Amino acid sequence: MNKYLFINVLGFVKIEKNVVVLLILWVSAILLVNPLGDFPLNDDWAYGKVVEHWLKGGKFQLINWGEMTLFSHVIHGLVITKIFGFSYTTLRISTLIISFVGILGVYRLGNICGLNSRASFILSFLVLANPIFLSLSFSYMTDVPFMTIVVWSIYFFIKYNKERATISLFLATVLCIWAMLSRQLAIVIPFSWFFAQLFSPKVDRVSFIRAIVPLVSVIIAYLSFHSILDELGLLPNTYGSKLDYLKELILNPDLRFLRNTVGYVLLFTAYIGLFLSPLLFFLKGNFFSRKDRLFIVAYSLAMTLSFALMNKLIPSIDNVFIDFGVGPNTMEDFAGNFRDAPYGGKAPVILKVLLTLVGFFSGGVIIVAFKNWLIQVHKRLLFNESFILMIIACYMGPFMITGYYDRYLIIVFPLMGVFLFNSLTVHKRRMYLASITLIGTFLFFSVAATHDYLSWNRKRWEVIYLALENEIPAISLGAGVEFQCLYFFDNDNPQWYLRPEPEYKITFRPQENHTILNEVEYSRWLPGENSIVLTKKSGNHNE
């Protein structure tokens, strides 16, 4: 059966049926969620500010929020807002387009790594249905665009290793530089490429040069960018602050540091395992030894029990996959507690136990797969797997020391997925059907949760704008993190967030000693309350 749906008259463009299906699924998700609304989400207010400043003032200027290079991310925002005008809706739609390019990149990465079209579709569908990926796609956060560039860069590196076409190495290097101009951590890709090539069986002078050129190119590009910003006085105070924090932790380790690192590693296996669990349907019957089976069962049970006793059942990492939905929940009445859905939306404990158990079980499978790979790699070099695992290790290594948000993991999901598919797969039709069914469940949850997240944020900002129109001063209004940041952030004042207790508040429920002035409902698909209130502190003024 022909896997191509359309072939143009010149024969240059082939569109596979699987790609068309992915596009239909993506467009359907967008229509169901509804991306419209001129309001920021999470930290994207900060990146929107940089775009808007450049658009109106003609100058690129980083602000004291975050420590990233950010340049390439702002460029794509600048281009689309120059055409369609500045709004968070425009920025959000630009991310949605880039997200599908990323999904397509995952599909092509699977192909180039030896997966058949069905397996590549499963992997791409799994990324599409991931609640962290889907939710971030409806924002102007850097995570998804960065992941997209990284995936395509890795694709071209592996393509070059397979075909030795110089254009592939050139494209991989250019994409690495572009990714580095969004986040400095992109340097782990050419670094991993260099060492993966270095340990190849045949390393001559030409191959050594081609191995090191991408790494040197990215380093030169980074130093040049840093030097230009420094020369122009455009480096913010927070630039590179995570690296300083990492150095401090490494140079001054203590018991808490070691305990946290162990916890970060264990949670990493659980989260990666949970969101790759549909791949377990492709386990080979002889994949596990008896000792492996005992280890996986013992590991999953022991870790689930331990994390339950510590009240750290999944979801337990900030800041997108929350209990129970997607977020973060940045409303005034949840100040500092970003991991909870609006009132009434928490998952039952049994569901969180099940998710944690599945996560650690799948994590145990990943550990066994890694052990088996270590055994095989001594016998024969498995370049693709070596390259991918080195990227994961170099990328996640610093986060295992400093800590991480769950959104940092979206780069790891497709890479670990490729590794697992190559390790575990047995191709039978019923396996695909079972896997697609479970991924479909993920997608249903992800769409519903993202719909609710945008829905309550949209309604919150409608109430904010109405309050401001009714001459309630912004300084007297408390409406959550994004509102405070968008209206009161001051790049020159490190204590900009300090302000008097607001007289008016926008919350999910009225707070103590507050009178309701307005109450509205928002569309909610998952369980939980669905109202937002504007309140005024009682007793200070006449109504």
Side-chain angles (χ1 to χ4, degrees), residues 196-243:
Q197 287 288 322
L198 206 60
F199 291 111
S200 296
K202 297 178 181 179
V203 182
D204 54 23
R205 189 175 62 130
V206 173
S207 60
F208 178 81
I209 291 172
R210 294 193 175 188
I212 200 170
V213 162
L215 178 60
V216 171
S217 300
V218 171
I219 291 172
I220 291 173
Y222 172 72
L223 293 176
S224 301
F225 177 77
H226 185 279
S227 177
I228 291 169
L229 290 188
D230 193 27
E231 185 71 23
L232 296 174
L234 298 177
L235 283 177
N237 297 332
T238 55
Y239 189 81
S241 56
K242 274 282 179 70
L243 182 59

Side-chain angles (χ1 to χ4, degrees), residues 39-52 63-66 86 88 91 139-141 461 481-491 496:
F39 52 84
L41 293 167
N42 207 332
D43 285 343
D44 71 2
W45 64 270
Y47 316 135
K49 269 186 177 290
V50 179
V51 172
E52 190 174 21
I63 63 174
N64 289 316
W65 189 273
F86 181 85
Y88 284 95
L91 294 173
S139 73
Y140 184 57
M141 297 288 283
W461 281 90
V481 175
E482 292 93 340
F483 170 77
Q484 176 157 323
C485 292
L486 193 64
Y487 277 79
F488 301 106
F489 177 81
D490 184 347
N491 204 45
W496 59 269

Side-chain angles (χ1 to χ4, degrees), residues 511-531:
Q511 302 300 285
E512 187 178 356
N513 299 323
H514 276 72
T515 303
I516 296 176
L517 301 181
N518 187 19
E519 182 170 2
V520 296
E521 292 186 350
Y522 65 90
S523 173
R524 183 170 176 82
W525 291 356
L526 293 178
E529 298 178 12
N530 66 331
S531 62

Side-chain angles (χ1 to χ4, degrees), residues 501-516:
E501 179 71 16
E503 181 181 359
Y504 299 87
K505 288 190 177 183
I506 295 174
T507 54
F508 288 117
R509 283 182 183 174
Q511 302 300 285
E512 187 178 356
N513 299 323
H514 276 72
T515 303
I516 296 176

Side-chain angles (χ1 to χ4, degrees), residues 344-356:
K346 282 194 172 186
V349 173
I350 187 65
L351 177 57
K352 291 190 281 189
V353 169
L354 179 61
L355 292 176
T356 307

Side-chain angles (χ1 to χ4, degrees), residues 147-443:
M147 186 209 87
T148 297
I149 305 167
V150 166
V151 165
W152 277 105
S153 176
I154 295 169
Y155 165 81
F156 282 113
F157 272 126
I158 293 175
K159 185 177 175 67
Y160 169 76
N161 189 68
K162 183 179 181 181
E163 301 172 359
R164 295 294 166 178
T166 304
I167 185 64
S168 294
L169 186 62
F170 172 76
L171 290 172
T173 304
V174 169
L175 287 170
C176 273
I177 293 172
W178 197 243
M180 179 277 300
L181 289 173
S182 178
R183 289 182 177 181
Q184 296 93 320
L185 259 178
I187 196 172
V188 303
I189 307 165
F191 179 85
S192 301
W193 166 257
F194 173 68
F195 280 98
Q197 287 288 322
L198 206 60
F199 291 111
S200 296
K202 297 178 181 179
V203 182
D204 54 23
R205 189 175 62 130
V206 173
S207 60
F208 178 81
I209 291 172
R210 294 193 175 188
I212 200 170
V213 162
L215 178 60
V216 171
S217 300
V218 171
I219 291 172
I220 291 173
Y222 172 72
L223 293 176
S224 301
F225 177 77
H226 185 279
S227 177
I228 291 169
L229 290 188
D230 193 27
E231 185 71 23
L232 296 174
L234 298 177
L235 283 177
N237 297 332
T238 55
Y239 189 81
S241 56
K242 274 282 179 70
L243 182 59
D244 295 334
Y245 181 51
L246 178 64
K247 290 177 183 175
E248 181 184 342
L249 289 175
I250 292 174
L251 294 174
N252 301 287
D254 56 21
L255 188 59
R256 183 182 176 186
F257 161 78
L258 296 174
R259 183 191 65 198
N260 287 345
T261 296
V262 171
Y264 296 145
V265 172
L266 293 174
L267 273 176
F268 171 76
T269 67
Y271 267 70
I272 296 298
L274 174 63
F275 290 115
L276 294 182
S277 58
L279 301 186
L280 295 187
F281 290 106
F282 298 93
L283 279 172
K284 294 177 182 177
N286 62 349
F287 178 75
F288 298 124
S289 66
R290 186 171 181 275
K291 287 182 178 179
D292 291 336
R293 293 190 184 96
L294 289 173
F295 165 76
I296 292 170
V297 171
Y299 177 75
S300 55
L301 290 175
M303 289 300 103
T304 301
L305 178 60
S306 299
F307 277 74
L309 292 174
M310 293 186 292
N311 197 27
K312 294 290 185 181
L313 293 171
I314 293 177
S316 55
I317 306 176
D318 286 341
N319 72 355
V320 176
F321 180 39
I322 64 173
D323 186 10
F324 197 64
V326 296
N329 183 351
T330 54
M331 286 286 270
E332 194 78 10
D333 43 343
F334 281 80
N337 183 19
F338 299 149
R339 281 191 229 135
D340 284 347
Y343 297 103
K346 282 194 172 186
V349 173
I350 187 65
L351 177 57
K352 291 190 281 189
V353 169
L354 179 61
L355 292 176
T356 307
L357 182 61
V358 169
F360 278 117
F361 183 88
S362 300
V365 172
I366 291 171
I367 293 170
V368 171
F370 178 69
K371 179 209 71 173
N372 291 346
W373 171 81
L374 285 175
I375 294 170
Q376 292 179 46
V377 81
H378 286 300
K379 300 176 182 177
R380 57 189 177 93
L381 181 69
L382 305 170
F383 177 82
N384 292 350
E385 290 87 344
S386 301
F387 180 39
I388 285 171
L389 287 174
M390 196 172 295
I391 292 171
I392 294 172
C394 293
Y395 173 76
M396 288 304 303
F399 295 132
M400 296 305 174
I401 298 172
T402 63
Y404 52 90
Y405 289 134
D406 57 8
R407 53 190 170 88
Y408 297 172
L409 302 178
I410 63 169
I411 292 173
V412 180
F413 294 137
L415 301 183
M416 190 65 79
V418 169
F419 170 72
L420 276 179
F421 247 129
N422 278 326
S423 302
L424 310 179
T425 46
V426 53
H427 302 290
K428 293 183 180 179
R429 183 178 179 83
R430 67 177 182 274
M431 305 298 183
Y432 289 104
L433 292 176
S435 182
I436 286 174
T437 300
L438 182 54
I439 298 172
T441 305
F442 281 18
L443 181 61

